[in-house]
Amino acid sequence: MNKKKTVLDIQRMKEEGEKITVLTAYDYPFARLMSQAGIDVILVGDSVGSVVSGYDNTLPVTMEEMLYHTRAVVRGSGGALVVADLPFLSYQIDLRDARLNAGRLIKEGGAQAVKLEGGENVAATIHAIVDMDIPVVGHIGLTPQSIHRMGGFRVQGKKEEQARQLLADARAVQEAGAFALVLEGIPADLGRRITESVTIPTIGIGAGVHCDGQVLVIHDILGLCEKYSPKFVKKYADVSGIILGGIEDYIREVKAGEFPDDEHSF
Ligand code: KIV
């Protein structure tokens, strides 16, 4: 196994101009494959709600679900740094909740860092968690937990006034002590401006090529999520067809009495 990556390695990668690779995972087998492939960071995203649990958005995901998936991912994560998402309602009410739930993802889940959504509005929360020596990743732009305010999954920061607010958000997240920042669903040029204006690494998803790293949802890049595919998703493999083929072959062989054959019987 490769040496476990730490937040210091991720910060050093920005300094040395090495792109940071991040993918989401929600279980042990995917985490193992990602670690084997050499991924830098695994994000246990609350996107689990959409791509694994079949919800329309991430809002229903609970702390208990995040803890379950985080534990499974950590067991398979090898040398990758594991970041776990704080789900909706686990950090918005008060700082005590935020600190307790961040601590649970570290203590019970085994994650090395937590991620939460928001800019200036969550700066105090980030500060409170970092103050407990828990590394935090910020997340601004198209923040899925704010889907109802945004009126859907829409690109953010297209107007200069909104872009300036996102620049202020990025600086607030950095000043609050976050060690990295996810930029989601913003114009590529704004991704560049934010990346140049902060010293912490930016990890883009639909935020252009100038970010210090990129993150995508594993089910999206493998063609496992047919419901909805945003423009920024590139399908690197089409696994659905392979899975479907295997299941159909199994059904056909059982129906025909061909399975189990002698080779698979005692
Ligand atoms: O939940 C998630 O998977 C995320 C990434 C898409 C950044 O927050």
Side-chain angles (χ1 to χ4, degrees):
M1 180 183 106
N2 293 336
K3 195 173 145 287
K4 193 83 172 159
K5 287 222 164 59
T6 71
V7 297
L8 299 184
D9 294 313
I10 304 306
Q11 283 165 329
R12 182 188 44 76
M13 289 169 80
K14 169 157 181 149
E15 284 153 25
E16 295 177 358
E18 181 184 348
K19 292 278 188 185
I20 301 157
T21 56
V22 187
L23 280 170
T24 67
Y26 318 100
D27 59 25
Y28 174 79
F30 271 109
R32 264 194 70 189
L33 289 170
M34 283 175 201
S35 135
Q36 209 177 311
I39 200 81
D40 296 314
V41 180
I42 299 179
L43 170 66
V44 190
D46 59 356
S47 50
V48 68
S50 314
V51 299
V52 174
S53 308
Y55 296 125
D56 287 338
N57 55 55
T58 59
L59 297 179
V61 176
T62 65
M63 267 304 294
E64 298 313 316
E65 286 166 339
M66 288 308 302
L67 284 166
Y68 170 82
H69 290 286
T70 302
R71 281 193 291 266
V73 166
V74 166
R75 286 193 285 269
S77 62
L81 178 93
V82 177
V83 179
D85 260 346
L86 278 161
F88 179 62
L89 228 50
S90 69
Y91 60 95
Q92 289 92 343
I93 305 297
D94 60 30
L95 296 186
R96 185 184 177 278
D97 271 6
R99 287 159 67 100
L100 179 65
N101 287 321
R104 289 189 72 196
L105 288 173
I106 303 295
K107 181 172 178 151
E108 297 172 43
Q112 292 157 275
V114 301
K115 176 168 82 58
L116 57 88
E117 296 180 10
E120 285 179 330
N121 60 324
V122 293
T125 310
I126 293 175
H127 189 272
I129 297 172
V130 171
D131 202 40
M132 295 168 71
D133 289 339
I134 296 177
V136 173
V137 178
H139 183 165
I140 63 170
L142 193 173
T143 44
Q145 291 178 16
S146 311
I147 182 175
H148 297 311
R149 171 180 57 75
M150 294 181 303
F153 295 104
R154 295 166 183 280
V155 175
Q156 303 292 300
K158 281 186 176 168
K159 297 201 177 111
E160 185 52 29
E161 192 189 329
Q162 295 170 340
R164 271 202 284 267
Q165 179 58 53
L166 286 170
L167 278 156
D169 284 335
R171 281 191 291 267
V173 166
Q174 170 170 280
E175 275 158 29
F179 79 94
L181 175 61
V182 169
L183 304 178
E184 178 164 357
I186 59 171
D189 188 55
L190 180 57
R192 179 189 57 74
R193 285 167 70 191
I194 294 176
T195 300
E196 288 172 358
S197 75
V198 292
T199 54
I200 57 175
T202 58
I203 311 293
I205 171 163
V209 74
H210 305 290
C211 299
D212 299 304
Q214 297 291 328
V215 56
L216 283 173
V217 168
I218 186 66
H219 288 59
D220 289 339
I221 73 163
L222 296 184
L224 280 167
C225 199
E226 282 143 9
K227 255 206 295 197
Y228 167 71
S229 187
K231 175 178 157 75
F232 58 75
V233 168
K234 179 168 175 185
K235 227 191 241 185
Y236 284 86
D238 196 354
V239 173
S240 282
I242 297 171
I243 295 177
L244 198 58
I247 296 170
E248 284 169 352
D249 285 350
Y250 168 75
I251 293 172
R252 191 181 38 73
E253 288 192 6
V254 171
K255 295 275 188 198
E258 291 170 6
F259 178 84
D261 53 11
D262 285 350
E263 193 190 337
H264 298 96
S265 300
F266 296 106

